[in-house]
């Protein structure tokens, strides 16, 4: 990876971190306990509980993603950044741009 690509990846990761933090804040808001008698609008309480569990799952994956992004950002200046942990081949820059938190190339990730 050349230095210009590295800067681009770094910016991409930082932007993804900001986005993930925003998602987490929104999801934390959505996963607050539902009181039995509050007005949920058009949603019934059961529906609200259903979407709450979806939001909780999304919140958990957003937190995992954020942790991975922070890890990727911390490791970006290391020599093995962008190298597949499985096969040791460089991960294509296009893939790093899409999933900067990935430690595997496309074929090893499958
Ligand atoms: Zn690989």
């Amino acid at each position: 990876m050349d230095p210009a690509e590295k800067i681009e990846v770094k910016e991409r990761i930082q932007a993804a971190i900001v986005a993930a933090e925003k998602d987490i804040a929104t999801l934390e808001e959505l996963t607050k306990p539902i009181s039995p008698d509050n007005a949920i609008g058009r949603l019934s309480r059961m529906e609200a509980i259903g979407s709450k569990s979806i939001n909780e799952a999304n919140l958990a994956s957003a937190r995992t993603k954020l942790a991975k992004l922070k890890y990727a950002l911390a490791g970006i200046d290391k020599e093995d950044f962008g190298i597949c942990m499985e096969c040791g081949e460089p991960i294509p820059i296009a893939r790093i741009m899409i999933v900067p938190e990935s430690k595997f190339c496309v074929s090893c990730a499958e």
Side-chain angles (χ1 to χ4, degrees):
M1 193 183 301
D2 66 48
E5 283 177 337
K6 194 165 267 190
I7 290 167
E8 224 179 310
V9 171
K10 206 176 230 177
E11 284 172 356
R12 185 63 71 100
I13 296 173
Q14 282 163 341
I17 287 175
V18 171
E21 281 173 341
K22 219 171 137 191
D23 283 354
I24 289 168
T26 307
L27 289 164
E28 275 172 349
E29 200 59 38
L30 291 171
T31 51
K32 278 182 180 168
I34 301 163
S35 66
D37 54 2
N38 69 348
I40 297 171
R42 295 191 299 136
L43 278 182
S44 73
R45 179 167 161 76
M46 284 314 289
E47 281 167 333
I49 291 168
S51 35
K52 185 168 179 282
S53 62
I54 294 167
N55 289 329
E56 274 164 356
N58 289 340
L59 179 59
S61 63
R63 282 183 172 143
T64 306
K65 186 175 178 179
L66 180 62
K68 284 182 181 172
L69 285 166
K70 284 185 171 170
Y71 183 82
L73 188 63
I76 195 166
D77 291 320
K78 289 179 188 153
E79 259 176 49
D80 61 355
F81 182 82
I83 303 295
C84 175
M85 299 270 284
E86 184 68 32
C87 67
E89 293 293 322
I91 302 168
I93 186 75
R95 174 166 170 79
I96 295 175
M97 284 299 185
I98 301 163
V99 272
E101 70 274 27
S102 176
K103 293 200 221 27
F104 303 103
C105 70
V106 181
S107 43
C108 293
E110 278 170 359

